[in-house]
């Protein structure tokens, strides 16, 4: 069974090409959500220390989770503005950008549809 997710916006998002049990009625085009976050100097310092002594970097994990949720929320908002109620085929990408690699871009893209 495919995993679908819907939040308070009511827009279903899924990485699968369709929503199980709900045929696609109309395609509304490609939608994208992008978030760029800057790295914090002190957070980087503590993350580097944690990397040296081992363990997971909770601060970076929270930043990634927040950026991913924001990108998906933008995707859902664009879908709704086009008259859709679901986004299928979602792809998430993470890129380090900036001259010193000090920023992270999280992008989510997919196809807005009505099911």
């Amino acid at each position: 069974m495919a995993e679908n997710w819907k939040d308070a916006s009511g827009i279903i998002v899924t990485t699968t090409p369709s929503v199980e049990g709900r045929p696609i009625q109309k395609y509304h085009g490609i939608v994208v959500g992008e978030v760029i976050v800057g790295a914090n100097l002190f957070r980087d310092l503590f993350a580097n220390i944690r990397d040296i002594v081992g363990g997971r970097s909770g601060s970076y994990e929270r930043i990634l989770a927040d950026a991913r949720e924001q990108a998906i929320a933008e995707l859902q908002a664009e879908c709704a503005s086009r008259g859709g109620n679901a986004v299928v085929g979602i792809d998430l990408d993470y890129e380090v950008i900036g001259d010193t690699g000090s920023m992270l871009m999280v992008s989510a893209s997919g196809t807005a549809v009505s099911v």
Side-chain angles (χ1 to χ4, degrees):
M1 181 174 175
E3 183 176 331
N4 301 318
W5 181 79
K6 185 190 324 186
D7 71 355
S9 73
I11 303 294
I12 297 169
V13 293
T14 182
T15 58
T16 61
S18 62
V19 178
E20 187 174 337
R22 299 189 65 185
I24 293 173
Q25 303 296 318
K26 185 175 181 182
Y27 288 85
H28 301 282
I30 296 171
V31 290
V32 178
E34 296 170 327
V35 175
I36 298 175
V37 293
N40 178 293
L41 177 62
F42 295 109
R43 190 171 38 235
D44 287 347
L45 176 64
F46 290 117
N48 288 335
I49 291 170
R50 181 172 300 263
D51 288 343
I52 292 169
V53 298
R56 295 168 61 168
S57 175
S59 59
Y60 277 126
E61 289 174 358
R62 281 188 298 280
I63 291 168
L64 280 174
D66 289 346
R68 182 176 54 248
E69 293 301 321
Q70 289 174 25
I72 291 171
E74 284 187 13
L75 191 78
Q76 290 174 301
E78 188 175 346
C79 174
S81 74
R82 293 179 181 210
N85 64 357
V87 182
V88 297
I90 289 181
D91 180 49
L92 294 169
D93 290 311
Y94 302 86
E95 295 290 331
V96 176
I97 60 174
D99 292 340
T100 60
S102 62
M103 293 188 288
L104 174 70
M105 180 177 76
V106 179
S107 64
S109 61
T111 304
V113 298
S114 291
V115 294

